[in-house]
Amino acid sequence: MLFTADHDEPRRILQKFIAAEINPHVDAWEEAGIFPAHELFKKLGDLGFLGLNKPIEFGGQGLDYSYALMMAEELGAINCGAIPMAIGVQTDMATPALARFGSDEVRKEFLAPAISGDYVACIGVSEPGAGSDVASIKTQARSDGDDYVINGGKMWITNGTQADFICLLANTSDGPVHRNKSLICVPMKSKGVQVARKLDKMGMRSSDTAQIFFDNVRVPKRNRVGEEGQGFTYQMMQFQEERLWAGAACLKAHEAIINATIEYTRNRKAFGRSILDNQVVHFKLAEMQTEVELLRALTYQAAEAMIAGEDVTRLATMVKLKTGRLGRELTDACLQYWGGMGFMNETPVSRAYRDSRLSSIGGGADEVMLTILCKMMGTLPGTAKAGNA
């Protein structure tokens, strides 16, 4: 069993925190297009939620991955997608490789304050010409004595305008594209780091997203995470956690939209009866609830495999693919049943529709997930079957 009685108390504390410290402010943060990351993360850090499965010696709780997944699932109760995503970047996207492969020195400097909430972190992988195609990134970190000198740019960086450091993927040699990259912790206050602009997004409005440029940014090589040239491999490992996080974080959000749609259609009348009384509506909502439970089961299965030390590439890829597809189908169906009100920004289904669209793009597009699965199945042209690991 993934969750036990030991998960009940941290779950209860997190639920209480979300109800008191986050949801009352979500509408204002959405309107402002930003939320106070340092203030909120510090509160979460004080409660121990930014390092549930991180090493104790750097301020973490030292628990297994099930606690991180529990947190991701509970974050789905937040009344938007942006705040859960921003928190997930801190816990499950920008810091897993740092926690696992970083030297004690670099973990003390960057991981410990990220766990305590004193630092806000962001992850720097995507570029204008290299989103899902990570191997094609162009940002360079040239060796110069004991330093790297970084030039290039990153795009669509969540937490980017407020972050204290970026876990940056950059080319550190001219070798093969899968073995020439390194992850480097770069302080955002470093000379030459420029937050070019805060991006205006369709959804995820309350999370700040930035375009960032690096102009001869000099950082010590001790800021590198793990071995030089292993950055691509480390990032692929981080993607597994990110993809499981995405699956878990949408579950309660989807259920909330289903329940809100049931309530709205029960009270909305057309042609002499409630919208909910139409078979096409209540059947579709039953199908959507079933799909949510199927995604939950797949996500839990993948998490259990990860805890057991298994390679979860196949399952995590399936989770990510299903998360993106279900987010689009479910919110689109529910919005339709709200009629004209579904098109209004004031309704929760409109926000869910806009926020969920990112799930099929961020962290690897649906088409990339399908390519990975086809390669593993041996059905991708020009590849042999790689097995079902």
Side-chain angles (χ1 to χ4, degrees):
M1 181 180 294
L2 184 62
F3 299 131
T4 68
D6 292 336
H7 294 80
D8 291 346
E9 183 62 11
R11 189 188 298 272
R12 184 195 66 80
I13 294 171
L14 185 55
Q15 290 171 345
K16 183 178 179 181
F17 180 85
I18 290 170
E21 300 287 346
I22 299 180
N23 277 342
H25 308 292
V26 164
D27 288 347
W29 294 341
E30 286 277 303
E31 182 69 23
I34 197 168
F35 77 104
H38 283 91
E39 178 185 338
L40 183 61
F41 284 13
K42 183 57 181 172
K43 291 177 180 178
L44 284 167
D46 288 345
L47 291 173
F49 283 112
L50 298 184
L52 289 173
N53 61 329
K54 299 297 193 297
I56 293 173
E57 57 268 37
F58 298 100
Q61 303 296 309
L63 301 168
D64 67 44
Y65 180 72
S66 66
Y67 288 85
L69 195 83
M70 175 276 296
M71 177 180 173
E73 186 170 351
E74 290 304 324
L75 292 178
I78 296 174
N79 293 334
C80 69
I83 305 302
M85 180 179 67
I87 298 169
V89 166
Q90 182 92 352
T91 59
D92 287 67
M93 302 177 206
T95 54
L98 172 60
R100 184 173 176 182
F101 300 107
S103 67
D104 285 353
E105 184 178 15
V106 77
R107 288 189 291 179
K108 182 179 179 181
E109 184 173 353
F110 296 101
L111 180 64
I115 290 171
S116 68
D118 292 306
Y119 276 8
V120 172
C122 62
I123 179 75
V125 176
S126 294
E127 300 177 3
S132 295
D133 185 8
V134 175
S136 295
I137 66 166
K138 303 301 183 186
T139 297
Q140 295 284 337
R142 176 177 54 83
S143 178
D144 185 17
D146 292 330
D147 295 337
Y148 288 120
V149 178
I150 303 169
N151 284 281
K154 295 295 178 178
M155 189 69 167
W156 308 298
I157 305 304
T158 300
N159 298 340
T161 73
Q162 301 186 76
D164 296 284
F165 75 94
I166 183 170
C167 187
L168 182 76
L169 187 68
N171 297 315
T172 48
S173 76
D174 296 324
V177 294
H178 297 106
R179 295 195 297 273
N180 74 334
K181 295 169 174 55
S182 301
L183 283 173
I184 306 165
C185 292
V186 180
M188 291 293 287
K189 64 181 179 182
S190 302
K191 182 180 179 181
V193 176
Q194 178 190 3
V195 177
R197 60 187 174 121
K198 178 175 171 288
L199 302 172
D200 186 14
K201 310 187 299 292
M202 177 179 77
M204 300 292 193
R205 299 289 299 176
S206 51
S207 129
D208 57 301
T209 306
Q211 181 177 18
I212 302 172
F213 293 132
F214 304 90
D215 182 13
N216 288 322
V217 178
R218 184 176 292 271
V219 296
K221 288 183 178 177
R222 67 172 183 273
N223 286 16
R224 189 183 65 238
V225 175
E227 298 179 26
E228 187 171 271
Q230 290 298 305
F232 184 87
T233 300
Y234 296 159
Q235 184 54 43
M236 292 304 105
M237 293 179 183
Q238 289 194 135
F239 274 146
Q240 305 315 319
E241 289 197 33
E242 177 177 346
R243 289 164 185 168
L244 295 190
W245 179 91
C250 76
L251 298 172
K252 286 200 168 187
H254 287 343
E255 289 174 336
I257 292 302
I258 290 172
N259 290 331
T261 302
I262 290 171
E263 184 66 21
Y264 184 79
T265 55
R266 176 176 281 125
N267 294 313
R268 181 184 171 212
K269 299 292 193 296
F271 305 105
R273 62 175 179 173
S274 74
I275 299 298
L276 186 62
D277 285 346
N278 290 281
Q279 187 181 83
V280 68
V281 177
H282 55 251
F283 272 18
K284 185 65 173 181
L285 293 173
E287 288 178 0
M288 292 295 95
Q289 185 63 60
T290 301
E291 292 294 325
V292 172
E293 287 302 323
L294 289 170
L295 177 57
R296 176 177 278 115
L298 180 60
T299 302
Y300 285 8
Q301 180 186 354
E304 289 171 345
M306 177 179 284
I307 293 166
E310 300 175 17
D311 181 354
V312 298
T313 301
R314 175 173 170 268
L315 290 175
T317 302
M318 289 177 171
V319 167
K320 176 60 172 59
L321 175 65
K322 186 62 178 177
T323 297
R325 294 290 174 84
L326 181 58
R328 294 158 67 182
E329 181 183 3
L330 186 150
T331 57
D332 183 75
C334 288
L335 187 148
Q336 183 72 18
Y337 302 145
W338 285 66
M341 287 306 298
F343 203 64
M344 301 297 104
N345 282 338
E346 66 192 75
T347 56
V349 72
S350 173
R351 182 181 294 170
Y353 179 86
R354 290 181 285 108
D355 287 353
S356 66
R357 189 60 184 84
L358 180 62
S359 296
S360 281
I361 302 171
D366 286 359
E367 292 76 15
V368 174
M369 300 301 101
L370 288 166
T371 299
I372 293 170
L373 292 172
C374 289
K375 185 175 182 179
M376 299 185 82
M377 294 169 66
T379 59
L380 190 69
T383 64
K385 187 172 182 179
N388 292 324

